[in-house]
Amino acid sequence: MLRNTIHHRIFSPVSKSSFSDIIGFFRDRPARKASLDSPNHVLSNFRKLLKSINCWCIYVRGKLKKVNKSIRIALVNPPPLKGVYHHQLYLPLGLAYLAAILEDAGCEVKVIDCPATGISHEKLEAELSSFEPFIIGITSMTPTINSALLSAKIAKKACPEAMVVLGGPHATFMDKEVLTHERAVDVVVRGEGEKTFLELAQEFYSRKALHKVDGITFRHNSEIVRNADRDYIQNLDELPLPAYKYFPLYKYRLFGRRILPVITSRGCPFQCSFCVTSRVFGKAFRARKPKSVVDELEWLKGVYSADAFSFYDDTITFDRKRILEICEEIRNRKIGLPWDCQTRVDRVSKEILFQMKRAECQQVFFGIESGSQKILNAVKKGTTVEQNERAIKWAKEAGLFVAASVIVGYPGETTETLKQTVNFLKKTKPDDVYICVATPYPGTELRNLIEKTGWKMSTEWQLYDTTTLVFEHPMLSAEDVAKLRQNFYNSFYSPAYILRHFVKRNFYSQIMARTALNHMLWRLKSIF
């Protein structure tokens, strides 16, 4: 039970009993005084009075729609399920921004970062029970949705009066399905979540007010109500710095180095058929000012002892003038730490890559997607094989570590197009390669395409990890794709690769030398 039980159900208004208790305490004081026979009884009644006053004050402030520290909010990064593949740890930047904006509004915030701290679902229940939050926010993506839903059940069990809120890309596009099949979830926050979640906290005390909160889907009696989409945050500089103090940053190290994430823009004007970015964050490119970006880099370096930065933008070089100004600002302030970023092959030039290198960028990540023009057209990438080759060449000439990702198994893929992609990688020799299996995430055009073709598609969401083929492909089997990935990496991470990157001074070459060595040791162990 909550420490301050303000209502019988999470959306019901506070009853008048709290106020009556306060008046009654003083009105009946003479009669009570005559009957008191122990100091413990006096203390007990005094505690009841304080509790009633506290409840009434919270209620009044809630009616004024001011968030205050009496509203406890838990933000949960759900535990990985046992036996389910999961990627390396990634600091949940979305939760860090939510924590910051809620803290600024006066809420008492607790982040439960289960993957980083090793908290299981059983331990999660104990964590929530001890904190007794009024609102529990749970983030998830498609591969972790089953864990998120189990976390929601546990949250409702631990804190039955709390509002359980689910967010993230999967919930955004499967909101009605989530609410239909999981009664423990009260509200789904769709898309960009900061202002929506803050408004939920402000409107916590009024059930009727939920109908006014844009960007949410919720259950009203037996009906699923989907409110209008929320307008995007136009000025990203108005957001507070992410609240990393709530996270165990010592866990987010890669080979002993602390690489902290930074996001400088949102929105994507491109319409790749395998991606939902433009539907979650909009088609318009919204960006922070260069000064704001580098202010954050200084803050991360000075306050959190960052060893490197990782820019999470989809296309950091979309605005040529802005990226050049960011690079100049980094040099002028002598930040002096390595960083990596990702972008498109058609949004770079020799000058941009050279200036990025001068500003300590050491790795650039290109989503080249394929070495086949047929597949590039199919995924609506809007680029060419020639642009892929040129961008990799330019980046290498600038002295950057080049990582590239490709998609295999897209509808229309054949053994011939796969061969073209492998040959392209051998020819261009990127420093690292991510072979991602085409994955029809909810909300993507790819998923709609597969549904229209009538191909069988798995609903085992934990398999949606970009390493497994989850739909019935007429030209390729899951075994074919798995074998392709295994053979490629066995050849790519060779002793020569390890030696070549080990002798380089590049921060990311050192990391990849160790990664390749681990892969080789794993292969040897599996053989013997």
Side-chain angles (χ1 to χ4, degrees):
M1 296 297 290
L2 297 176
R3 283 192 289 262
N4 300 318
T5 305
I6 341 179
H7 38 58
H8 300 293
R9 297 180 60 192
I10 64 172
F11 297 114
S12 303
V14 179
S15 69
K16 295 181 180 179
S17 60
S18 297
F19 185 68
S20 299
D21 289 344
I22 298 170
I23 300 301
F25 182 89
F26 292 103
R27 183 190 60 214
D28 302 332
R29 186 180 177 189
R32 277 203 325 276
K33 186 176 182 181
S35 64
L36 296 182
D37 55 6
S38 73
N40 288 337
H41 195 74
V42 174
L43 182 60
S44 174
N45 278 297
F46 185 65
R47 283 174 175 168
K48 289 179 181 178
L49 171 64
L50 290 179
K51 184 175 180 180
S52 297
I53 293 173
N54 189 33
C55 287
W56 183 251
C57 290
I58 292 173
Y59 172 63
V60 171
R61 287 195 293 265
K63 283 297 183 182
L64 293 175
K65 298 183 180 179
K66 292 180 181 177
V67 181
N68 60 84
K69 288 189 178 180
S70 295
I71 297 183
R72 294 182 298 279
I73 299 178
L75 301 175
V76 178
N77 189 17
L81 292 172
K82 294 179 181 178
V84 175
Y85 172 85
H86 53 92
H87 294 280
Q88 69 183 61
L89 283 177
Y90 288 101
L91 204 157
L93 195 52
L95 285 189
Y97 271 110
L98 277 182
I101 204 165
L102 292 169
E103 181 185 59
D104 277 6
C107 299
E108 183 182 350
V109 179
K110 179 182 179 70
V111 174
I112 306 175
D113 189 2
C114 300
T117 55
I119 292 176
S120 64
H121 285 98
E122 293 75 18
K123 291 181 180 178
L124 174 61
E125 182 177 353
E127 289 280 337
L128 291 171
S129 295
S130 63
F131 184 58
E132 296 180 336
F134 291 88
I135 303 176
I136 302 170
I138 304 171
T139 186
S140 76
M141 295 183 290
T142 298
T144 61
I145 188 62
N146 290 335
S147 176
L149 294 176
L150 178 56
S151 298
K153 289 182 180 179
I154 288 170
K156 189 61 76 173
K157 177 184 176 184
C159 308
E161 297 179 60
M163 179 195 294
V164 177
V165 182
L166 199 65
H170 187 94
T172 292
F173 299 107
M174 302 290 283
D175 50 342
K176 291 186 176 180
E177 290 81 356
V178 165
L179 288 166
T180 298
H181 295 105
E182 184 46 71
R183 300 289 301 180
V185 178
D186 299 304
V187 178
V188 168
V189 169
R190 307 190 313 269
E192 203 168 56
E194 290 92 353
K195 288 191 173 181
T196 303
F197 206 105
L198 176 60
E199 192 172 341
L200 276 177
Q202 292 168 333
E203 302 289 356
F204 176 69
Y205 298 97
S206 173
R207 182 176 186 178
K208 291 182 180 180
L210 282 180
H211 291 270
K212 302 176 184 177
V213 180
D214 287 344
I216 68 168
T217 308
F218 64 100
R219 191 184 301 102
H220 178 61
N221 297 326
S222 59
E223 180 186 2
I224 303 297
V225 180
R226 197 174 200 273
N227 290 356
D229 292 339
R230 178 173 291 274
D231 291 338
Y232 297 110
I233 301 169
Q234 295 305 312
N235 180 13
L236 297 179
D237 289 320
E238 73 184 21
L239 291 173
L241 291 168
Y244 290 137
K245 68 180 185 180
Y246 292 107
F247 294 85
L249 293 185
Y250 65 93
K251 292 286 187 177
Y252 289 95
R253 289 181 177 272
L254 188 59
F255 296 116
R257 301 296 188 92
R258 179 176 292 177
I259 307 175
L260 295 181
V262 183
I263 186 84
T264 79
S265 63
R266 293 181 184 179
C268 181
F270 305 102
Q271 303 299 301
C272 301
S273 62
F274 53 85
C275 183
V276 296
T277 297
S278 63
R279 293 191 62 193
V280 174
F281 294 110
K283 298 178 182 179
F285 181 76
R286 297 167 286 136
R288 295 166 56 189
K289 292 181 176 61
K291 180 182 181 301
S292 167
V293 173
V294 184
D295 283 348
E296 181 172 352
L297 300 186
E298 282 192 331
W299 174 71
L300 291 173
K301 178 183 177 180
V303 177
Y304 290 107
S305 303
D307 295 309
F309 311 113
S310 183
F311 288 96
Y312 278 15
D313 305 52
D314 288 291
T315 312
I316 196 170
T317 63
F318 179 82
D319 184 330
R320 177 182 179 278
K321 181 175 180 290
R322 190 183 80 105
I323 185 59
L324 291 176
E325 289 178 358
I326 289 174
C327 291
E328 183 180 8
E329 191 77 8
I330 289 174
R331 291 198 308 272
N332 289 342
R333 298 206 212 174
K334 296 179 172 57
I335 299 298
L337 292 179
W339 51 277
D340 66 83
C341 64
Q342 63 181 17
T343 190
R344 289 172 57 95
V345 297
D346 58 350
R347 303 302 297 189
V348 294
S349 65
K350 283 187 175 182
E351 180 189 8
I352 287 174
L353 293 167
F354 175 71
Q355 294 301 335
M356 286 167 53
K357 174 64 176 177
R358 287 188 64 203
E360 301 297 335
C361 177
Q362 290 192 9
Q363 175 181 259
V364 62
F365 180 100
F366 293 121
I368 65 173
E369 316 314 351
S370 181
S372 164
Q373 193 61 51
K374 173 188 173 182
I375 298 301
L376 286 175
N377 294 342
V379 303
K380 300 183 179 180
K381 186 69 178 183
T383 56
T384 66
V385 174
E386 291 73 26
Q387 286 175 317
N388 285 342
E389 184 175 357
R390 186 172 60 210
I392 292 174
K393 179 175 179 289
W394 284 349
K396 285 194 163 195
E397 288 175 350
L400 295 169
F401 181 100
V402 181
S405 68
V406 296
I407 294 175
V408 298
Y410 197 86
E413 187 90 83
T414 64
T415 53
E416 179 58 29
T417 58
L418 284 175
K419 184 178 179 181
Q420 290 174 0
T421 296
V422 172
N423 288 341
F424 176 86
L425 294 171
K426 290 179 178 179
K427 177 183 178 181
T428 56
K429 293 182 173 62
D431 297 294
D432 194 20
V433 175
Y434 295 81
I435 298 182
C436 304
V437 180
T439 305
Y441 292 111
T444 61
E445 184 180 327
L446 171 58
R447 188 171 188 84
N448 293 335
L449 174 62
I450 294 173
E451 287 175 343
K452 288 178 181 177
T453 62
W455 297 350
K456 291 181 181 178
M457 188 163 41
S458 174
T459 54
E460 294 184 49
W461 302 119
Q462 70 275 12
L463 299 178
Y464 283 58
D465 55 15
T466 73
T467 68
T468 307
L469 191 63
V470 296
F471 61 91
E472 190 178 66
H473 198 294
M475 302 298 292
L476 300 166
S477 67
E479 291 74 20
D480 292 333
V481 174
K483 186 176 180 181
L484 170 77
R485 295 182 79 254
Q486 182 179 1
N487 289 342
F488 177 85
Y489 284 122
N490 288 348
S491 173
F492 187 73
Y493 292 140
S494 64
Y497 177 95
I498 296 171
L499 181 61
R500 182 169 67 253
H501 286 283
F502 183 76
V503 298
K504 290 184 178 180
R505 303 302 300 170
N506 185 295
F507 177 77
Y508 296 92
S509 287
Q510 294 291 310
I511 289 175
M512 287 313 302
R514 297 187 183 187
T515 301
L517 179 60
N518 287 342
H519 178 83
M520 184 170 290
L521 293 174
W522 172 81
R523 282 182 60 200
L524 291 173
K525 184 178 180 181
S526 64
I527 293 172
F528 298 104

